[in-house]
Each structure stands twice: as structure tokens, then as C-alpha cells.
Amino acid sequence: LLLLLLLLLLILTMDNEFQDEYGARDRRNRKYKIIAAVSVAIVLLAVTIGVVVATTRKTPSSSSTSSNLPSRTFAFNLGSLEGDASQTGTIYIKTRPDWAPLGVDRFHDLVESDFFINTHFFRVVPGFVVQFGISGDTAIENQWRLKDLKDDPVVAKNVKGTVSFANSGPDTRTTQIFINLSDNSKNLDNLGFAPIGEVILGMDIVERINSEWGQQAKQQKIISQGNSYLDTNFPRMSYVISAIQSFKPV
């Protein structure tokens, strides 16, 4: 833009000299040159703005790039293991921004906002997955459930112990998470489920999550009624007591 202004100034200066030498008869030529110079400047400025906008759109934000997003480990304390209210245990999930930076960023936000506290494992299929991530507080659920997240490419495989977002189609990830109980890569990788991390300690705890009701809990009723629906109909369902970042070496 500075160069364009200098160019315009140069043309005007040359025109002044031109006018001093030849007089009023060339004022019309000077007018046309000014119009041409301004037109060129406007076109070049528009092109420059277009390039800047296009570049900005193609450049991901710092929060969604693996180079700027740290890997973190979170301790999830679980309750009602095997359907027993007195049985608790802790699993450690390590996020992998190099696998799925957008998903990891969302997972970090969810943990930091205490979203997962008192969420239940409403879908437990032995040998396949355990799934959680619908808030038992309907107000909190309504804040998050429409915040669809763009898909990450599937870089890692859905092998045992990996953690992925559930979805209902392209670019529909929100808050629901599942942990693979076996190697599901042949079935899930091609469907766009991108692992965001892995359980690095506590898979024995994951396998104690109560599978008594399998997939009987209705997701829409959890969304609309919250934990009151689960507590009434599935009183021994395993759930998340707390979820915090862990700095303990694992």
C-alpha cells in the first residue's frame, strides 16, 4: 500500500513539471493520468486484500495446531465400578495433539470447564467401547451440544485404550467420548473416528465399568432429563466423579 501511494505521488509530481513546461493545454492529459493512477492503485489494493483474506482463512488458529497445543494427562476418578457404589478407581488419559489437534483442544476445554463431572457411562459394550460425555445437568448440556466441531483427519488407529469423540456424521463432534476396549481400527478408522489420546494407566479400571445395561439408556432422554433419568432407571451406572489435569509421572 505504501508503494502504491509513493507511485501516485511520483505521477502527480511528474504531472506538475509537465504542466509547468507546456501550460494549461495539457491539463486534460494530467487529469486522465491521475484517474488511471488511482484506478490502478484501487485494483492493486483490492487484490492485496483478497490475498490476505484468503491466506487468513487457510491458516489454522494457534489453538488448533499441534505445534502450539501441549499434550496433557488427565486423571479421571470413576465411581460405581461393577455397579458397586463403594468401588472407585482412577484412569489416566494422555492427549495427543499430533493425532487430532482440534479434538484435543475441545477435550481440554471440556475438562477445564468441569463438564465431565457426574457424567455417566451410558453405553457399555464389552469387547467394543465404553461411552460417556452427556452432561447430567441439562443446562450445561444445552450449552455444549450444538457446538459442532470440525473433523480431524484420522491419523492414529482405534486400537485398545485409545480415546475418540463419538459423532453422528461429518463435522458433528461435540462432547461425547468413547474408549476402545479392543482393536476397532478396521471398523472405526474408515468412519472418521479420530483418536485424540489414550489411556496410559487404568485400562483394568475401564474394564470394570458397569456393563449391566449395555446400550439401553436413551441418549435423548439423558439430554432432556439429565441425571434424574439415569438415577431413576439405571441406579448402578458407573460415572465420572472428577476429572483434573495430572502432573504425577505415570
Side-chain angles (χ1 to χ4, degrees), residues 18 67 71 78 85 109 114 118 128 140 142 158 169 178 214 242 244:
F18 188 82
S67 59
S71 173
L78 311 184
D109 287 345
D114 293 332
N118 289 327
F128 183 44
I140 293 176
N142 288 332
N158 283 276
F178 66 84
S242 65
I244 60 173

Side-chain angles (χ1 to χ4, degrees), residues 100-209:
L102 297 176
V104 167
D105 194 33
R106 170 60 62 85
F107 186 78
H108 288 180
D109 287 345
L110 290 168
V111 175
E112 289 172 351
S113 66
D114 293 332
F115 176 87
F116 291 116
I117 294 177
N118 289 327
T119 59
H120 288 64
F121 291 90
F122 60 85
R123 183 187 183 207
V124 183
V125 185
F128 183 44
V129 299
V130 295
Q131 187 169 328
F132 66 108
I134 299 178
S135 177
D137 185 321
T138 57
I140 293 176
E141 177 62 24
N142 288 332
Q143 292 175 9
W144 285 92
R145 69 186 184 88
L146 298 180
K147 294 182 178 181
D148 291 345
L149 184 66
K150 184 178 179 181
D151 289 337
D152 285 296
V154 179
V155 175
K157 293 182 177 297
N158 283 276
V159 295
K160 183 176 182 177
T162 53
V163 180
S164 301
F165 272 93
N167 65 56
S168 57
D171 301 330
T172 58
R173 297 181 297 175
T174 53
T175 62
Q176 293 190 40
I177 302 289
F178 66 84
I179 302 172
N180 287 292
L181 297 178
S182 61
D183 185 350
N184 296 315
S185 56
K186 290 183 179 180
N187 297 322
L188 300 183
D189 291 358
N190 292 332
L191 296 177
F193 295 100
I196 63 165
E198 56 192 329
V199 176
I200 57 174
L201 183 65
M203 274 305 293
D204 57 322
I205 302 297
V206 173
E207 291 170 345
R208 294 176 59 199
I209 292 172

